[in-house]
């Protein structure tokens, strides 16, 4: 009913241990205007293919909301305007291919929000403004480009704020849509293990605070337009020549 305020862990692992069950579908969530808690609500619901529409306008934490929903294919356009954390929200949703363009003006913590979403083909742009986004798209292997005009804002006071932001992608050949980095970014291992990445655009890196192993094990990387770097940066197992590295 309308008085429900908390769905934390309410349906966690429903159907997971029932060998006879097939596909679950949740309905009846249209009238929950007072809802504030959805942490772990559908976590480990491995047989649902879509999530119900829920009024989440007052929810601040979506932590592990639908993580490990390995059959999930469809996500509603939830109101995330009040969200401050979205860590592991959809992590390990192996069959999820596309998500809405979430509005996240207040979110500061998005660790592994989409990590191990292997088939994700299109990624939202708003998540790049989040200050702490470690492993945001780690092991998202399928998408081929990032949204245009992106300015990465991993500026939380922690060297791991941007750690493996986009890593272990098999199809990303360039990051040409990247517009730059906010002042005070941390980019440690940010693009590590992107096996098909060939080029990086001409952007200013002078305000990056930590870039250790930023391009570690990008074996196809042959062009990097990053300039102005004032901190240590790593290009282990890349194709860059000595001249290209000197220019950086």
């Amino acid at each position: 009913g309308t008085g429900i305020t908390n769905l934390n862990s309410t349906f966690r692992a429903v159907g997971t241990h029932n060998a006879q069950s097939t596909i679950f579908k949740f309905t009846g969530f249209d009238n929950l205007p007072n809802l504030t808690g959805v942490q772990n609500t559908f976590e480990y619901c491995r047989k649902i293919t879509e999530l119900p529409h829920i009024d989440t306008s007052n929810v601040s934490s979506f932590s592990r909301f639908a993580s490990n929903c390995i059959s999930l294919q469809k996500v509603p356009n939830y109101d995330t305007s009040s969200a401050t954390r979205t860590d592991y929200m959809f992590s390990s949703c192996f069959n999820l291919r596309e998500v809405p363009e979430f509005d996240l003006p207040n979110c500061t913590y998005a660790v592994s929000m989409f990590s191990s979403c292997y088939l994700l083909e299109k990624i939202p742009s708003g998540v790049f403004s989040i200050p702490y986004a470690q492993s945001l798209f780690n092991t998202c292997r399928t998408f081929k480009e990032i949204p245009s005009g992106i300015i990465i804002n991993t500026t939380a006071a922690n060297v791991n704020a941007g750690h493996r932001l986009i890593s272990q992608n098999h199809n990303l050949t360039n990051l040409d849509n990247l517009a730059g980095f906010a002042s005070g970014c941390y980019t440690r291992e940010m693009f590590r293990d992107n096996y098909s990445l060939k080029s990086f655009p001409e952007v200013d890196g002078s305000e990056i605070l930590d870039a250790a192993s930023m391009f570690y094990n990008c074996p196809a990387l042959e062009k990097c337009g990053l300039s102005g770097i004032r901190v240590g940066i790593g290009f282990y197992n890349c194709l860059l020549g000595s001249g290209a590295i000197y220019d950086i």
Side-chain angles (χ1 to χ4, degrees):
T2 58
I4 294 175
T5 60
N6 191 323
L7 290 177
N8 292 344
S9 299
T10 302
F11 304 103
R12 189 177 187 272
V14 166
T16 299
H17 306 294
N18 184 355
Q20 302 302 316
S21 62
T22 53
I23 299 299
F24 280 85
K25 185 175 182 179
F26 294 98
T27 60
F29 295 89
D30 296 328
N31 191 23
L32 297 174
N34 299 310
L35 189 65
T36 58
V38 295
Q39 292 186 153
N40 308 85
T41 299
F42 300 105
E43 186 179 25
Y44 291 110
C45 290
R46 294 175 174 167
K47 298 184 179 181
I48 59 172
T49 58
E50 60 183 288
L51 293 171
H53 289 275
I54 306 173
D55 183 351
T56 56
S57 58
N58 294 312
V59 173
S60 60
S61 176
F62 286 83
S63 179
R64 300 183 185 273
F65 172 66
S67 68
N68 289 277
C69 292
I70 61 176
S71 300
L72 184 65
Q73 300 174 15
K74 185 177 181 180
V75 174
N77 190 10
Y78 290 120
D79 186 341
T80 53
S81 59
S82 296
T84 58
R85 59 183 298 170
T86 56
D87 47 304
Y88 299 93
M89 185 174 178
F90 298 110
S91 68
S92 299
C93 291
F94 302 148
N95 283 289
L96 188 61
R97 295 179 180 272
E98 187 173 346
V99 293
E101 186 60 55
F102 294 119
D103 181 27
L104 292 159
N106 298 301
C107 188
T108 59
Y109 191 74
V111 171
S112 294
M113 183 176 178
F114 298 103
S115 64
S116 298
C117 289
Y118 299 144
L119 300 182
L120 195 63
E121 297 174 347
K122 183 179 179 181
I123 61 177
S125 61
V127 294
F128 289 95
S129 65
I130 298 171
Y132 201 117
Q134 180 180 0
S135 300
L136 182 67
F137 295 109
N138 185 34
T139 60
C140 291
R141 300 170 178 170
T142 302
F143 68 86
K144 297 179 179 180
E145 63 179 6
I146 64 173
S148 61
I150 291 300
I151 295 178
I152 292 175
N153 186 48
T154 49
T155 56
N158 188 302
V159 293
N160 290 320
H163 184 256
R164 300 196 181 200
L165 182 82
I166 298 175
S167 65
Q168 296 188 58
N169 183 298
H170 294 180
N171 290 291
L172 188 67
T173 60
N174 67 75
L175 289 161
D176 291 347
N177 287 336
L178 179 66
F181 298 92
S183 177
C185 264
Y186 292 90
T187 63
R188 177 173 294 203
E189 296 188 29
M190 181 169 280
F191 304 112
R192 174 175 177 153
D193 300 325
N194 285 315
Y195 308 119
S196 298
L197 184 64
K198 293 182 178 181
S199 65
F200 192 83
E202 295 183 3
V203 294
D204 179 27
S206 61
E207 299 298 322
I208 292 175
L209 298 183
D210 185 297
S213 300
M214 186 173 175
F215 296 97
Y216 183 96
N217 195 32
C218 293
L221 187 65
E222 55 190 12
K223 179 182 178 183
C224 183
L226 187 65
S227 63
I229 283 289
R230 302 177 183 179
V231 294
I233 187 170
F235 291 95
Y236 172 79
N237 196 29
C238 295
L239 288 178
L240 291 176
S242 59
I245 294 176
Y246 178 81
D247 291 340
I248 296 168

